[in-house]
């Protein structure tokens, strides 16, 4: 009888979701988009050149690694979990990348080794959470300390990356369209870096996984009601582990992108970046309780954070800590908005 009631409840929720208006379903993402537009309007009215195409493209260039981290975090939060280890795993990835390149490894095997490292970390965390029923907060906190400690085992100081492949990628620019002419007559072009292409490809793959595969539907089902998902025969255990593998892989890719960006490996890289990733996902409209959210919203959340940082930089007279203050206030607003949306859906 209880199982029947749970299944009936799940079916009712599914029917309501299918019948939900687009505004209610995508309201949080639209709110993020409106916020991004408003922030750009504020910046453009206050600072000359704020709406230059290259300024906008620099948001993607400077935050490519954070976009990837936010994608992995979206998978985890959609199941109702959390991952505090992404910043530390990213730092460990930069350290391992630099150390292996210094040891004479070719770039291909280095990239493969770092990806395996990230997946192994995610697999360990996922198994720990599922098998021993440890809270994700505690399990990922332990993984964070482990990864950060291993960074100092690899090297207590910063390691420079001089490999030609990584240097070329770091310095390469992909031209998009002409923006003007320099004093010497050269044509100036708007550009992006290869890291932006990697980040956007990962966003596209993540969108396909979440909305076009059984794995993605199971992710949403677990966040909506894990008990109902199990009664419907969905692979809950495997999916709960795999979302942390996805997060670990994204952390490793983020580390590779940051290593290309900074051409170094440093044990203190990414301190606090896990909070930035969580903030971007929440501001992007994903519910912390799971079951609702979109990768595109997380991308918009990263752009909101990057735009706020750009405004602080344009201002010049404000401390960088104002970025944290504004993000904190914005985060509270979106948490309240999420609660209002949940109440509206229940009624």
């Amino acid at each position: 009888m209880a199982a029947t009631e749970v299944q009936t409840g799940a079916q009712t929720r599914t029917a309501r979701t299918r019948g939900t208006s687009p505004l209610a379903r995508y309201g949080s993402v639209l709110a993020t988009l409106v916020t991004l537009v408003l922030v750009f309007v504020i910046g453009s009215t206050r600072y000359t050149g704020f709406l230059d195409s290259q300024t906008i493209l620099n948001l993607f260039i400077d935050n490519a690694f954070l976009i990837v981290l936010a994608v992995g975090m979206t998978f985890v939060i959609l199941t109702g979990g959390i991952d505090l280890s992404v910043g530390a795993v990213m730092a460990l990835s930069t350290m391992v990348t630099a150390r292996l390149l210094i040891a004479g490894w070719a770039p291909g095997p280095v990239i493969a080794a770092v990806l395996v490292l990230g997946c192994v970390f995610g697999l360990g965390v996922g198994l720990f959470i599922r098998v021993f029923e440890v809270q994700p907060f505690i399990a990922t906190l332990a993984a964070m300390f482990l990864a950060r400690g291993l960074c100092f085992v690899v090297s207590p100081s910063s390691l420079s990356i001089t490999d030609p492949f990584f240097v070329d990628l770091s310095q390469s620019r992909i031209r998009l369209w002409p923006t003007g002419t320099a004093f010497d007559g050269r044509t100036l072009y708007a550009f992006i870096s290869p890291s932006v292409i990697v980040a956007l490809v990962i966003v596209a793959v993540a969108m396909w996984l979440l909305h076009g595969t059984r794995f993605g539907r199971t992710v949403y089902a677990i966040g909506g009601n894990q008990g109902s998902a199990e009664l419907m025969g969905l692979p809950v255990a495997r999916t709960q582990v795999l979302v942390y593998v996805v997060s670990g892989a994204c952390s490793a890719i983020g580390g590779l992108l940051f290593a290309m960006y900074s051409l170094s490996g440093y044990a203190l890289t990414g301190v606090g970046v896990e909070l930035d990733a969580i903030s971007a996902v929440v501001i992007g409209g994903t519910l912390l309780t799971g079951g609702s959210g979109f990768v595109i919203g997380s991308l918009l959340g990263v752009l909101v954070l990057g735009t706020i940082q750009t405004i602080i930089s344009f201002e010049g007279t404000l401390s960088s800590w104002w970025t944290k203050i504004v993000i904190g206030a914005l985060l509270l607003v979106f948490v309240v908005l999420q609660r209002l949306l949940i109440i509206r859906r229940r009624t």
Side-chain angles (χ1 to χ4, degrees):
M1 182 64 179
T4 303
E5 289 176 352
V6 173
Q7 288 179 319
T8 302
Q11 293 170 355
T12 301
R13 281 187 295 272
T14 302
R16 286 178 180 175
T17 300
R18 289 175 179 172
T20 301
S21 66
L23 180 60
R25 187 178 181 188
Y26 302 105
S28 56
V29 176
L30 292 175
T32 307
L33 180 60
V34 170
T35 302
L36 179 61
V37 172
L38 288 177
V39 173
F40 263 105
V41 169
I42 293 172
S44 62
T45 55
R46 186 172 176 83
Y47 312 107
T48 302
F50 190 84
L51 285 182
D52 287 350
S53 59
Q54 193 56 54
T55 300
I56 297 173
L57 292 174
N58 284 342
L59 292 176
F60 290 89
I61 296 173
D62 296 337
N63 295 285
F65 73 95
L66 184 56
I67 291 173
V68 177
L69 294 183
V71 168
M73 189 69 72
T74 303
F75 278 82
V76 173
I77 293 180
L78 280 173
T79 63
I82 201 76
D83 192 350
L84 300 179
S85 67
V86 295
V89 174
M90 184 186 81
L92 181 59
S93 299
T94 67
M95 295 295 292
V96 171
T97 299
R99 175 58 72 190
L100 292 180
L101 289 173
I102 292 173
W105 284 43
V110 169
I111 293 173
V114 171
L115 289 176
V116 170
L117 175 66
C119 290
V120 168
F121 250 91
L123 178 62
V125 169
L127 290 174
F128 199 66
I129 291 171
R130 181 65 192 182
V131 174
F132 297 100
E133 298 183 352
V134 178
Q135 288 294 323
F137 181 90
I138 299 299
T140 57
L141 182 65
M144 179 186 75
F145 286 126
L146 175 60
R148 191 67 69 179
L150 288 174
C151 289
F152 288 95
V153 171
V154 174
S155 175
S157 58
S158 178
L159 299 174
S160 298
I161 295 176
T162 58
D163 180 82
F165 176 79
F166 276 78
V167 172
D168 289 343
L169 279 179
S170 176
Q171 297 176 350
S172 62
R173 297 290 182 264
I174 301 173
R175 291 181 177 180
L176 298 178
W177 54 76
T179 58
T181 304
F183 291 108
D184 57 2
R186 291 182 297 107
T187 301
L188 300 177
Y189 290 87
F191 63 86
I192 57 174
S193 63
S195 60
V196 176
I197 302 298
V198 174
L200 294 180
V201 167
I202 290 175
V203 169
V205 172
M207 291 174 65
W208 170 74
L209 282 174
L210 284 176
H211 304 292
T213 67
R214 187 187 183 195
F215 169 71
R217 291 189 290 272
T218 305
V219 168
Y220 280 103
I222 292 173
N225 190 310
Q226 182 175 330
S228 297
E230 290 174 343
L231 289 172
M232 286 186 291
L234 297 176
V236 172
R238 182 177 64 191
T239 304
Q240 280 185 318
V241 174
L242 283 178
V243 294
Y244 288 94
V245 174
V246 170
S247 182
C250 287
S251 300
I253 296 172
L256 288 169
L257 295 181
F258 195 85
M260 293 178 186
Y261 181 79
S262 62
L263 288 178
S264 66
Y266 185 42
L268 295 179
T269 293
V271 173
V273 77
E274 61 276 352
L275 302 181
D276 291 334
I278 295 170
S279 299
V281 173
V282 174
I283 291 174
T286 300
L287 294 181
L288 279 171
T289 53
S292 178
F294 301 93
V295 171
I296 193 67
S298 299
L299 171 62
L300 294 175
V302 172
L303 295 180
V304 169
L305 301 186
T307 305
I308 292 172
Q309 180 64 58
T310 302
I311 289 177
I312 300 298
S313 300
F314 267 75
E315 186 66 31
T317 58
L318 295 177
S319 168
S320 60
W321 286 107
W322 275 99
T323 304
K324 304 297 182 183
I325 295 172
V326 175
I327 291 173
L330 197 59
L331 193 59
L332 289 175
V333 170
F334 273 86
V335 168
V336 172
L337 177 62
Q338 287 184 2
R339 295 303 303 169
L340 293 176
L341 289 174
I342 290 174
I343 294 172
R344 182 178 179 182
R345 288 175 183 175
R346 288 176 178 173
T347 57

